[in-house]
Amino acid sequence: MIRSMELRDLARIIELESNLFSHPWTEEAFVYELTQNPFSSYWVMERDECVIAYCGAWLSGDQAQITTLGVDAHFQGNGYAKELIQ
């Protein structure tokens, strides 16, 4: 299931960021994107009610710039990132 990212997802998102990246985004950065940036759109993918992947983008007209993308290491290689981007 893919849905819009919500503030309640941030604990899990920060956990994934820390596991996936050497320079993870901060919680404050995600809060800004979710609450202040009018150009941002963020989504999560859930399996069994647990966030396993996420993607963020800045949307402007017919253009999109991916800002972040992460997939839990246990679920990588299954096409989930591609599904989120589409």
Side-chain angles (χ1 to χ4, degrees):
M1 168 186 178
I2 296 175
R3 62 171 176 77
S4 294
M5 185 185 290
E6 300 174 3
L7 291 174
R8 67 182 172 94
D9 298 315
L10 291 185
R12 175 66 174 144
I13 300 298
I14 297 304
E15 175 186 0
L16 290 171
E17 277 279 309
S18 296
N19 291 333
L20 295 170
F21 303 109
S22 57
H23 299 289
W25 279 30
T26 64
E27 183 173 353
E28 292 79 15
F30 279 103
V31 169
Y32 173 80
E33 291 296 310
L34 293 174
T35 63
Q36 301 294 316
N37 187 346
F39 300 104
S40 70
S41 291
Y42 285 75
W43 308 274
V44 297
M45 177 180 283
E46 291 182 319
R47 293 288 182 260
D48 299 320
E49 298 183 23
C50 181
V51 173
I52 63 163
Y54 58 95
C55 180
W58 293 336
L59 307 176
S60 179
D62 63 349
Q63 297 182 22
Q65 179 178 338
I66 295 173
T67 57
T68 188
L69 177 64
V71 179
D72 185 314
H74 297 101
F75 293 93
Q76 291 178 2
N78 293 299
Y80 295 139
K82 181 179 178 180
E83 191 175 338
L84 274 168
I85 291 171
Q86 291 176 339

